[in-house]
């Protein structure tokens, strides 16, 4: 369809984006159960590395080469395809969950330095990947739901990382649930008894705003699943070169909707600019 460059064409562009997004076969959201064999699995020291997330907190995290080896053995086509293309992103196939992105460290450090209250809180680690943020929350006695697009990521790194960091595996798993799939369908998932939607005290997400085509779906998770007095924290780069997303673009979407107050609570001082946004629901007058 031929278009002139008038202001009205912005709506046409938005419709085109929505149409394009709807034609991609996104994986439907589902809960991922932890198998007994996973709970009983013993890991060798060569399988993981100890990462200093912030002072006094070291996390044992599965090595990426170990994860990739296991995925090749299981012939996980989507991630093997991404690896063969040396790509961290193939939309709707692989969304980069095997890597620990730098904004995850930013957000972990922010949580530590600001003494965020976790005790007994209901937390969602959205787009969790390796699960670093959710692990911090678990160590501080939260109940945590981990969500990532790829079930392969959840099974190969997220669940093993949880099991590696707690001696009493059965006990910690009572404070965890794991989910995979698209944010659009995740928002519609009901609780295990099927009669209500789970809502969270805290929703954390890091490095998930790179694709502007997914901003609306990501925002809907906060809109539908954050409690009235809940807090959302979004960590990301100011701009993602090559894919077009960024903090300002996502912030504008939130502000235009008018439901949340938004503030920038952290910025780095050097290198590629990174930020953390905090969102809370506006108080009814």
């Amino acid at each position: 369809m031929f278009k002139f460059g008038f202001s009205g064409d912005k709506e046409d562009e938005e419709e085109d984006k929505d149409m394009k997004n709807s034609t991609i076969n996104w994986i439907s959201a589902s809960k991922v159960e932890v198998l007994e064999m996973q709970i009983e699995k013993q890991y060798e020291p060569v399988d993981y590395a100890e990462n200093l997330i912030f002072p006094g907190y070291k996390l044992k995290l599965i090595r990426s080469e170990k994860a990739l080896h296991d995925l090749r053995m299981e012939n996980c086509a989507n991630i093997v395809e991404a690896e063969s293309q040396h790509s961290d992103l193939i939309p709707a196939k692989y969304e980069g969950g095997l890597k620990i992105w730098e904004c995850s460290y930013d957000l972990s450090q922010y949580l530590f330095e600001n003494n965020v209250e976790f005790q007994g809180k209901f937390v969602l680690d959205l787009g969790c990947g390796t699960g670093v943020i959710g692990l911090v929350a678990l160590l501080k006695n939260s109940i945590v739901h981990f969500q990532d697009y790829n079930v392969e990521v959840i099974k190969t790194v997220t669940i093993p990382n949880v099991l590696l960091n707690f001696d009493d595996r059965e006990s910690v798993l009572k404070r965890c649930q794991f989910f995979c799939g698209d944010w659009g369908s995740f928002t519609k998932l009901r609780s295990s008894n099927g009669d209500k939607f789970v809502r969270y005290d805290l929703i954390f997400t890091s490095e998930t705003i790179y694709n502007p085509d997914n901003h609306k779906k990501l925002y809907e998770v906060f809109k539908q699943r954050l409690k009235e007095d809940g807090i959302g924290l979004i960590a990301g780069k100011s701009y993602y070169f090559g894919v077009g997303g960024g903090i300002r673009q996502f912030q504008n979407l939130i502000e235009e909707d008018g439901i949340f107050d938004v503030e920038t609570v952290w910025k780095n001082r050097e290198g590629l600019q990174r930020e953390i946004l905090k969102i809370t629901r506006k108080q009814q007058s």
Side-chain angles (χ1 to χ4, degrees):
M1 181 174 65
F2 182 77
K3 296 179 184 175
F4 292 95
F6 299 135
S7 58
D9 289 341
K10 184 175 180 182
E11 292 181 10
D12 293 333
E13 289 173 10
E14 288 297 320
E15 288 177 9
D16 284 351
K17 274 188 182 179
D18 291 341
M19 188 175 296
K20 175 187 170 186
N21 231 18
S22 66
T23 59
I24 297 175
N25 293 319
W26 296 97
I27 299 169
S28 294
S30 62
K31 185 178 179 182
V32 182
E33 301 293 345
V34 183
L35 304 177
E36 191 65 33
M37 61 182 291
Q38 291 175 294
I39 300 173
E40 295 174 355
K41 183 176 175 61
Q42 297 301 312
Y43 294 94
E44 300 295 329
V46 295
D47 294 336
Y48 60 87
E50 289 195 281
N51 291 253
L52 184 66
I53 303 301
F54 45 73
Y57 277 83
K58 277 188 178 180
L59 294 179
K60 296 175 182 176
L61 302 173
I62 291 289
R63 295 183 187 273
S64 58
E65 56 268 30
K66 159 71 174 169
L68 284 170
H69 174 269
D70 291 349
L71 290 166
R72 284 193 214 101
M73 292 299 98
E74 295 171 20
N75 197 28
C76 294
N78 287 348
I79 297 181
V80 171
E81 179 185 348
E83 184 204 5
S84 68
Q85 296 179 19
H86 305 287
S87 174
D88 294 317
L89 172 64
I90 301 179
K93 289 188 176 183
Y94 173 58
E95 297 288 337
L98 291 180
K99 290 182 65 174
I100 304 175
W101 299 89
E102 56 192 339
C103 290
S104 295
Y105 291 111
D106 295 339
L107 186 49
S108 298
Q109 188 73 21
Y110 174 84
L111 296 173
F112 172 74
E113 291 178 351
N114 289 274
N115 297 312
V116 172
E117 178 58 47
F118 281 97
Q119 181 73 36
K121 298 293 185 181
F122 206 179
V123 174
L124 173 62
D125 186 355
L126 185 61
C128 64
T130 57
V132 168
I133 308 300
L135 284 168
V136 171
L138 277 180
L139 288 164
K140 290 179 171 287
N141 299 312
S142 290
I143 299 162
V144 182
H145 286 183
F146 295 85
Q147 184 279 336
D148 196 81
Y149 182 70
N150 294 98
V151 66
E152 298 93 341
V153 168
I154 293 290
K155 290 181 176 179
T156 310
V157 291
T158 316
I159 291 172
N161 284 344
V162 170
L163 299 176
L164 272 169
N165 285 279
F166 295 88
D167 293 330
D168 189 346
R169 294 178 171 185
E170 296 280 0
S171 179
V172 75
L173 288 174
K174 291 177 182 176
R175 293 194 285 122
C176 295
Q177 288 187 37
F178 303 88
F179 299 88
C180 67
D182 175 49
W183 291 322
S185 53
F186 174 75
T187 307
K188 299 177 177 64
L189 275 183
R190 295 180 181 271
S191 61
S192 54
N193 62 18
D195 64 354
K196 63 179 181 179
F197 294 107
V198 174
R199 302 187 80 192
Y200 301 93
D201 299 294
L202 300 164
I203 298 180
F204 303 128
T205 195
S206 174
E207 305 269 22
T208 53
I209 57 167
Y210 51 83
N211 184 353
D213 291 344
N214 287 332
H215 282 185
K216 287 182 180 179
K217 290 191 291 185
L218 177 62
Y219 172 55
E220 278 298 315
V221 179
F222 288 93
K223 191 173 173 180
Q224 301 296 331
R225 294 305 187 90
L226 193 62
K227 289 181 179 178
E228 290 300 317
D229 59 350
I231 295 171
L233 290 172
I234 301 107
K237 296 181 177 67
S238 300
Y239 184 75
Y240 287 84
F241 295 96
V243 280
I247 281 282
R248 291 289 78 72
Q249 201 173 4
F250 191 66
Q251 181 175 356
N252 290 340
L253 172 66
I254 298 171
E255 290 176 340
E256 285 171 8
D257 196 42
I259 290 177
F260 291 96
D261 287 317
V262 189
E263 62 176 316
T264 300
V265 293
W266 180 88
K267 280 186 179 182
N268 69 320
R269 297 180 182 274
E270 56 187 33
L272 186 63
Q273 192 166 35
R274 308 187 306 277
E275 306 178 41
I276 298 174
L277 295 182
K278 177 181 178 180
I279 66 172
T280 52
R281 292 187 189 275
K282 290 184 176 181
Q283 298 300 309
Q284 299 295 325
S285 57

